[in-house]
């Protein structure tokens, strides 16, 4: 729930009339959220589930096809098991849980870099100019998808672009055209987005919001980004592969398309910045797939697989043993087959402890309610009704989002000043006369975001009209003067 809510939250806020790049913060990008938002499903959860599943399936097929490379049946079977391992099992921990418990570690974050590398290697023999024209639309989508994706796809095409510019046989006008093609394309979309915002809200977009989470995470604001980097840990695995890639490059340096190897190296360096930024050893499991993918891209294209067979075989064997030697993998496989629920009809919304009690004693009526559950993840309660404990009457909850804490964890990585900007814009637009905020009585996880909220409400002339408490929750009814 926690890892999904930061992805679903911005979409639900948009459905409440909010705008990305203005009053809706988004940790995972711009076009990524819009792509889910426009899908014709009633539920934001269903929309995200569908798009994420489609991207996972497509990325998995691309990786499998690269590893198999249309070889014999024997290698087909190995490729299938290896692909399943590095995409679904290895990244799911020793218990082999559903890898999509944390969808941000998979295709939703990395799809476009995988696709653009796949295309570059497939088109390696084509005219370079036509390659740029074909790759451009994919690069634009990847760039606008999220700031991280923009970094990844730009890293991928940089060696290709540099190789084109230094080529003495290419006309200077073509070089200049290709060099300016990418930034001018983005500038065009920025102008289009700016005009759209001016027409609809009378303001230019807050473009800093596109990149601000990057600065928040790298500055160590979020609580789980403060781990010290382990120079003696899994980073050795990444160095091992990068050493192989550099060796491959120097062996093929005279090949006119040797820049493709650097595209892989640059891409993996960009992707691995996530591992460095999070500084948690376990994150290596989500990175291995891209190193294996890059390795097979290179050996297939440059036809050098026999030279490195003895080097890479122990790594592949270790991955397969780690995945299929774990009995939890069998449980995972059977659970996957027996628990298909593509339309989320079997979803269970667990009721937080103390939920009915605090709503009962508060005597919540028609006022909108924002309910933040206890715990470090700052998730919001999804229920739209509660049971009155005094008379057992089931009462509807007004779920109008008068405070955009859906969830509050969206705001936790931001500086207090930036939180207040988003909150002020939202609360001014909503202009709600009365509304409830319900949150934990006392938890340090919530102190910072609650402080920002209460300061903004005071600045917007809200006072506390009513206050109720239990051992777990406090309920505050705010009224605008």
């Amino acid at each position: 729930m926690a890892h999904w809510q930061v992805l679903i939250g911005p979409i639900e806020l948009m459905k409440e009339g909010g705008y990305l790049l203005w009053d809706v913060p988004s940790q995972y990008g711009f076009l990524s959220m819009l792509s889910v938002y426009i899908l014709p499903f009633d539920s934001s959860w269903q929309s995200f589930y569908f798009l994420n599943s489609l991207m996972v399936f497509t990325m998995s097929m691309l990786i499998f096809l690269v590893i198999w490379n249309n070889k014999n049946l024997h290698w087909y079977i190995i490729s299938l098991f290896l692909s399943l391992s590095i995409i679904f099992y290895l990244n799911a921990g020793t218990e082999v849980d559903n890898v999509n418990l944390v969808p941000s570690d998979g295709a939703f974050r990395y799809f476009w870099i995988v696709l653009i590398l796949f295309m570059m290697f497939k088109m390696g023999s084509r005219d370079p100019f036509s390659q740029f024209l074909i790759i451009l639309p994919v690069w634009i989508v990847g760039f606008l998808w999220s700031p991280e994706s923009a970094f990844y796809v730009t890293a991928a095409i940089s060696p290709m672009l540099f190789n084109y510019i230094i080529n003495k046989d290419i006309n200077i006008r073509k070089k200049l055209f290709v060099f300016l093609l990418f930034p001018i394309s983005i500038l065009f979309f920025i102008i289009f987005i700016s005009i759209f915002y001016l027409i609809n809200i009378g303001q230019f977009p807050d473009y800093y919001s596109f990149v601000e989470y990057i600065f928040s995470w790298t500055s160590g604001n979020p609580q789980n980004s403060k781990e010290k980097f382990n120079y003696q840990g899994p980073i050795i695995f990444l160095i091992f592969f990068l050493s192989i890639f550099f060796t491959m490059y120097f062996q093929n340096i005279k090949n006119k398309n040797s820049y493709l190897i650097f595209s892989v190296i640059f891409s993996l360096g960009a992707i691995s910045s996530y591992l460095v930024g999070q500084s948690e050893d376990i994150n290596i499991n989500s990175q291995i797939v891209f190193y294996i993918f890059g390795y097979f891209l290179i050996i297939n294209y440059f036809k050098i697989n026999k030279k490195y067979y003895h080097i890479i075989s122990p790594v592949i064997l270790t991955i397969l043993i780690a995945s299929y030697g774990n009995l939890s993998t069998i449980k995972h496989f059977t659970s996957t087959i027996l628990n298909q629920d593509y339309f989320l009809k079997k979803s269970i919304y667990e009721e937080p402890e103390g939920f009915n009690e605090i709503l009962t004693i508060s005597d919540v009526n028609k006022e909108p309610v924002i309910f933040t559950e206890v715990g470090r993840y700052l998730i919001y309660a999804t229920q739209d009704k509660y049971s009155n404990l005094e008379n057992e009457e089931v009462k509807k909850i007004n779920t109008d989002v008068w405070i955009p804490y859906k969830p509050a964890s969206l705001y936790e990585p931001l500086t207090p000043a930036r939180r207040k900007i988003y909150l002020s814009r939202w609360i001014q637009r909503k202009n709600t006369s009365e509304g409830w905020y319900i949150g934990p009585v006392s938890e340090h996880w919530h102190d910072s975001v609650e402080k920002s909220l209460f300061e903004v409400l005071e600045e917007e002339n809200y006072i506390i009209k009513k206050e109720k408490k239990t051992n777990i929750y406090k309920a505050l009814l705010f009224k605008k003067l």
Side-chain angles (χ1 to χ4, degrees), residues 59-272:
M59 190 180 84
S60 303
M61 288 301 299
L62 292 177
I63 292 171
F64 167 73
L65 290 173
V66 167
I67 295 175
W68 177 42
N69 196 34
N70 204 26
K71 294 180 181 177
N72 55 42
L73 178 62
H74 169 260
W75 184 245
Y76 176 92
I77 296 172
I78 294 176
S79 301
L80 180 62
F81 279 98
L82 179 60
S83 299
L84 287 171
S85 176
I86 58 179
I87 298 169
F88 297 105
Y89 301 153
L90 203 62
N91 191 22
T94 55
E95 297 298 320
V96 196
D97 292 320
N98 188 335
V99 69
N100 284 309
L101 288 173
V102 188
S104 57
D105 278 351
F108 200 75
R109 187 185 230 128
Y110 301 113
F111 177 83
W112 299 105
I113 181 62
V114 170
L115 178 60
I116 212 166
L117 282 175
F118 181 86
M119 292 175 64
M120 288 172 66
F121 275 81
K122 285 295 180 182
M123 297 188 303
S125 58
R126 294 177 65 111
D127 171 61
F129 186 77
S130 65
Q131 289 185 49
F132 283 115
L133 295 180
I134 295 171
I135 286 175
L136 178 64
V138 178
W139 178 83
I140 291 172
V141 174
F143 192 97
L144 296 176
W145 191 258
S146 71
E148 287 180 84
S149 182
F151 180 48
Y152 301 157
V153 296
T154 302
I157 67 166
S158 294
M160 180 182 178
L161 187 61
F162 180 75
N163 183 74
Y164 187 82
I165 292 173
I166 65 171
N167 191 326
K168 297 178 181 179
D169 299 327
I170 298 175
N171 185 287
I172 187 66
R173 290 184 179 179
K174 274 193 171 183
K175 291 181 180 180
L176 186 61
F177 176 81
V178 168
F179 181 76
L180 295 176
L181 181 62
F182 291 87
I184 289 177
S185 299
I186 292 300
L187 181 61
F188 170 80
F189 280 96
I190 289 174
I191 293 172
F192 174 79
I193 292 168
S194 299
I195 293 172
F196 177 86
Y197 274 68
L198 279 173
I199 292 172
N200 285 275
I201 64 174
Q203 301 282 349
F204 280 108
D206 183 354
Y207 285 111
Y208 179 67
S209 67
F210 181 71
V211 298
E212 69 179 318
Y213 277 93
I214 291 178
F215 298 113
S216 295
W217 285 97
T218 55
S219 65
N221 283 337
Q223 294 144 349
N224 59 347
S225 67
K226 298 180 181 179
E227 293 288 334
K228 292 183 178 180
F229 188 76
N230 183 5
Y231 291 98
Q232 298 178 336
I235 189 66
I236 296 173
F237 179 87
L238 308 187
I239 294 173
F240 166 75
F241 267 96
L242 288 175
S243 300
I244 293 177
F245 296 152
F246 274 109
T247 303
M248 290 175 172
Y249 172 75
F250 287 114
Q251 288 183 347
N252 293 273
I253 197 169
K254 294 182 179 181
N255 189 309
K256 67 175 183 177
N257 292 328
S258 59
Y259 67 86
L260 288 171
I261 300 177
F262 262 105
S263 289
V264 171
I265 294 172
F266 278 34
S267 299
L268 293 174
I271 291 172
S272 296

Side-chain angles (χ1 to χ4, degrees), residues 26 382 452:
S26 174
T382 57
S452 298

Side-chain angles (χ1 to χ4, degrees), residues 2-11 13-14 19-21 23-34 48 102-105 108-109 144-150 152 208-218 221-225 274 277-278 376-378 406-414 418 422 449:
H3 295 290
W4 278 63
Q5 280 201 354
V6 289
L7 290 156
I8 305 298
I11 302 159
L13 291 176
M14 282 191 283
Y19 283 82
L20 295 170
L21 306 180
D23 57 1
V24 175
S26 174
Q27 184 172 328
Y28 291 102
F30 176 68
L31 193 56
S32 57
M33 297 294 104
L34 288 179
F48 179 81
V102 188
S104 57
D105 278 351
F108 200 75
R109 187 185 230 128
L144 296 176
W145 191 258
S146 71
E148 287 180 84
S149 182
Y152 301 157
Y208 179 67
S209 67
F210 181 71
V211 298
E212 69 179 318
Y213 277 93
I214 291 178
F215 298 113
S216 295
W217 285 97
T218 55
N221 283 337
Q223 294 144 349
N224 59 347
S225 67
Y274 173 73
Q278 288 292 292
R376 60 171 291 190
Y377 294 110
L378 287 73
K406 198 170 184 180
S409 54
L410 269 176
Y411 298 81
E412 189 273 329
L414 305 177
R418 289 295 295 176
Y422 284 114
V449 292

Side-chain angles (χ1 to χ4, degrees), residues 443-460:
E443 274 198 346
H444 70 280
W445 305 105
H446 298 249
D447 290 345
S448 181
V449 292
E450 283 191 348
K451 181 181 178 184
S452 298
L453 172 62
F454 296 156
E455 287 176 357
V456 169
L457 289 172
E458 183 178 0
E459 291 168 4
E460 297 297 329

Side-chain angles (χ1 to χ4, degrees), residues 261-313:
I261 300 177
F262 262 105
S263 289
V264 171
I265 294 172
F266 278 34
S267 299
L268 293 174
I271 291 172
S272 296
S273 63
Y274 173 73
L275 174 63
V276 175
Q278 288 292 292
S279 300
E280 295 180 359
D281 290 349
I282 189 62
N283 286 324
I284 185 67
N285 287 350
S286 64
Q287 306 286 302
I288 291 175
V289 56
F290 306 110
Y291 282 78
I292 298 293
F293 174 68
Y295 168 82
F296 281 102
L297 277 175
I298 295 172
I299 65 168
N300 292 341
Y301 185 84
F302 293 97
K303 296 179 173 56
I304 53 176
N305 52 313
K306 291 183 179 179
K307 296 180 181 179
Y308 293 90
Y309 177 79
H310 296 294
I311 298 176
I312 199 66
S313 292

Side-chain angles (χ1 to χ4, degrees), residues 4 39 41 45-55 342:
W4 278 63
L39 292 177
F41 294 100
W45 295 81
Q46 181 68 66
S47 297
F48 179 81
Y49 181 85
F50 174 82
L51 181 60
N52 183 60
S53 300
L54 181 63
M55 296 179 78
Y342 298 111

Side-chain angles (χ1 to χ4, degrees), residues 319-385:
I319 291 172
L320 293 174
I321 291 174
S323 297
Y324 301 103
N326 184 351
L327 294 179
S328 295
T329 302
I330 301 174
K331 178 184 175 182
H332 171 93
F333 181 78
T334 54
S335 297
T336 301
I337 299 300
L338 297 175
N339 292 280
Q340 299 301 305
D341 184 22
Y342 298 111
F343 297 99
L344 305 182
K345 293 182 179 179
K346 300 177 183 177
S347 299
I348 299 173
Y349 297 94
E350 294 183 353
E351 188 177 279
E353 181 184 357
F355 178 79
N356 290 320
E357 182 183 2
I358 187 62
L359 288 165
T360 297
I361 67 170
S362 301
D363 192 26
V364 172
N365 292 308
K366 296 182 180 180
E367 306 90 358
V369 177
I370 291 297
F371 195 118
T372 301
E373 298 184 21
V374 298
R376 60 171 291 190
Y377 294 110
L378 287 73
I379 64 177
Y380 64 91
T382 57
Q383 286 75 11
D384 60 0
K385 54 192 169 187

